[in-house]
Amino acid sequence: MRPAIRFASIGLALAALAYAAAPSATAADAVDPVADAKAFKKYFTDKFPKVKLEDFVNGPYSMDEGLHQQWQEKEQFPPYEFSLELGKEMFSKPFKNGKSYGDCFPNKGIGIRQNYPYFDEKEGKVITLELALNRCREANGEPPFSYVKDEMAALTAYMAFTSRGKPFDIKIPNDPRALAAYENGKEYFYTRRGQLNFSCATCHVQSPGERIRAEVLAPALGILNAMPIYRSEWSGMGTTSRRFTSCNSQIRGVPFSPQDDEYRNVEYYLSFVSNGLPISGPGARP
Amino acid sequence: MNRIRTSLLSLASVLLIAGATSALAASEADYKAALAAAEAANKQAAGVRNQWTTTAATINAAKKAAEAGDFDKAVASANEAEALAKASIFQATSEKKLWKDMEIR
């Protein structure tokens, strides 16, 4: 009997200790996006002291001199040019009801890419540029586009182009739901998934600049500033949705539907921590 | 003489084991039970938003083997699929805490 009582007392004492320690653990885990963004930038600038902060938006091309030269040559005749031209044409062409994309966005949709995604306090969710574009279409009686390529890539390419050089300016309003969306996005970014047991961070935080097969991994800092991208591997353009879903498949995880909450939230997180870095999209990648 | 007796005994054991194995050949009912368990585990993985592509592929392999009448193979694949699904659930559950270890602070 005595040992049982002793055992129970030890258990109670441990529980009390854990309870006492709990509030301080919660305080340490408090969500602080500004501190996160600062630490995020410091991690990458410490890891790559020769790379200028604004150059991180060039992904693998910022990681090595030879690749940087290749990129500069590519930019003479960029492979995203056709998509960009298509996007410009589509953007200015009115819908059947006479309205156009410009009517759905602030400043007629020009030079606003750096403000997306944003947190919609009415809806209580993150709104990405791709989602806003399809909602605009549907509100004007047009069918939505596929989120991953073709027309959606063309439209976002044009909108990114009109914002080139403007620093990412993602806001987190004083709303607990916005902070939760940001924190969920962060959790998604660092969570290992798929049979290969990779998180986004495994490649883009732990291993940028290193090769995974023939590819040079891009740093997570500024990774969305160049979206959408023309990828030689895809032989075509791809949106942020395409990047997220194909990353999941590559690690043998079943991807979610584009624009599911997880993807919207991780885009919110990744864009926020790259605040201040210039939009460089549309981009080209190997 | 002893050697011959030992050899005969060994042969008998081998035959017995072989007989026992063929008696344990999987049936369609075994396959159906194994498939149901795999699909239930994969559904649970969907619930924690962490299905693996290999689970679905292995379930499909089980179905193909069953269609071809190879229930041994079908049961083996279904069991493997269940194990994969359970591993994905374990991953999702443990990562609920472990992701923080990776965070840049």
Side-chain angles (χ1 to χ4, degrees):
Chain A
M1 188 64 186
R2 268 190 192 163
I5 293 169
R6 195 179 298 159
F7 186 74
S9 313
I10 292 169
L12 273 174
L14 282 174
L17 271 174
Y19 183 75
S24 65
T26 312
D29 287 345
V31 185
D32 186 347
V34 174
D36 285 352
K38 199 176 164 193
F40 205 79
K41 289 187 180 85
K42 185 179 183 309
Y43 173 85
F44 286 99
T45 48
D46 285 355
K47 193 173 172 80
F48 301 102
K50 287 183 187 165
V51 179
K52 284 183 203 158
L53 184 65
E54 63 272 21
D55 275 349
F56 280 97
V57 300
N58 298 318
Y61 299 123
S62 64
M63 299 281 93
D64 143 317
E65 189 54 39
L67 280 171
H68 198 82
Q69 276 177 8
Q70 275 182 33
W71 170 67
Q72 279 176 327
E73 281 167 25
K74 245 187 189 180
E75 282 293 298
Q76 303 290 318
F77 300 99
Y80 51 75
E81 210 163 24
F82 294 108
S83 180
L84 182 57
E85 278 170 23
L86 173 67
K88 187 177 180 182
E89 197 185 311
M90 286 170 67
F91 200 83
S92 52
K93 193 178 165 189
F95 300 127
K96 283 183 210 110
N97 66 3
K99 291 191 174 180
S100 67
Y101 291 106
D103 295 319
C104 298
F105 293 94
N107 199 37
K108 292 279 170 192
I110 303 301
I112 58 160
R113 159 70 183 106
Q114 70 282 0
N115 302 322
Y116 285 80
Y118 70 93
F119 189 82
D120 184 342
E121 289 187 82
K122 240 187 200 172
E123 198 176 320
K125 287 198 172 203
V126 172
I127 308 295
T128 66
L129 186 59
E130 293 166 21
L131 188 66
L133 278 163
N134 260 350
R135 284 187 174 179
C136 174
R137 290 184 58 76
E138 289 179 301
N140 287 289
E142 304 286 335
F145 287 137
S146 154
Y147 277 111
V148 291
K149 51 187 180 176
D150 303 329
E151 293 95 341
M152 184 57 80
L155 284 170
T156 50
Y158 174 64
M159 291 182 81
F161 189 75
T162 66
S163 287
R164 267 196 176 178
K166 295 194 176 194
F168 241 141
D169 188 17
I170 306 302
K171 306 259 190 321
I172 299 179
N174 187 18
D175 180 331
R177 295 169 305 169
L179 217 53
Y182 167 89
E183 186 67 1
N184 289 340
K186 180 165 73 174
E187 179 177 340
Y188 186 87
F189 180 77
Y190 289 108
T191 294
R192 290 176 181 274
R193 56 177 47 81
Q195 194 189 15
L196 298 187
N197 203 31
F198 274 36
S199 70
C200 308
T202 310
C203 286
H204 301 291
V205 171
Q206 291 183 332
S207 319
E210 298 197 26
R211 284 186 184 275
I212 188 159
R213 295 188 176 163
E215 307 285 341
V216 174
L217 290 163
L221 180 62
I223 201 166
L224 296 181
N225 298 49
M227 300 306 289
I229 48 171
Y230 180 96
R231 282 202 81 185
S232 307
E233 187 195 332
W234 295 336
S235 299
M237 295 290 292
T239 59
T240 303
S241 287
R242 185 173 187 178
R243 185 61 284 187
F244 289 155
T245 52
S246 60
C247 270
N248 279 173
S249 306
Q250 282 170 330
I251 55 158
R252 299 185 188 167
V254 175
F256 303 124
S257 298
Q259 302 302 319
D260 269 4
D261 286 348
E262 286 90 343
Y263 291 145
R264 285 155 74 173
N265 292 341
V266 76
E267 187 176 338
Y268 193 42
Y269 166 72
L270 267 177
S271 304
F272 182 85
V273 292
S274 294
N275 262 354
L277 271 74
I279 296 295
S280 63
R285 296 288 181 265
Chain B
M1 189 60 187
N2 269 351
R3 229 182 242 175
I4 292 170
R5 195 178 295 158
T6 315
S7 304
L8 279 173
L9 273 173
S10 310
L11 182 65
S13 315
V14 167
L15 285 172
L16 268 173
I17 291 167
T21 312
S22 68
L24 288 175
S27 66
E28 190 173 358
D30 295 334
Y31 156 69
K32 282 186 176 167
L35 181 71
E39 284 180 331
N42 200 29
K43 201 174 166 192
Q44 208 184 326
V48 293
R49 308 282 282 165
N50 194 37
Q51 284 178 309
W52 291 356
T53 52
T54 36
T55 309
T58 314
I59 287 176
N60 284 340
K63 286 178 179 171
K64 267 194 176 170
E67 276 167 25
D70 188 345
F71 292 112
D72 279 342
K73 200 175 168 188
V75 168
S77 291
N79 287 340
E80 189 187 334
E82 187 190 0
L84 287 168
K86 284 185 170 169
S88 70
I89 295 162
F90 175 81
Q91 182 189 49
T93 314
S94 55
E95 281 296 308
K96 278 279 159 207
K97 279 188 179 170
L98 290 177
W99 73 267
K100 283 179 188 286
D101 295 346
M102 254 197 174
E103 187 188 349
I104 298 174
R105 287 168 196 269

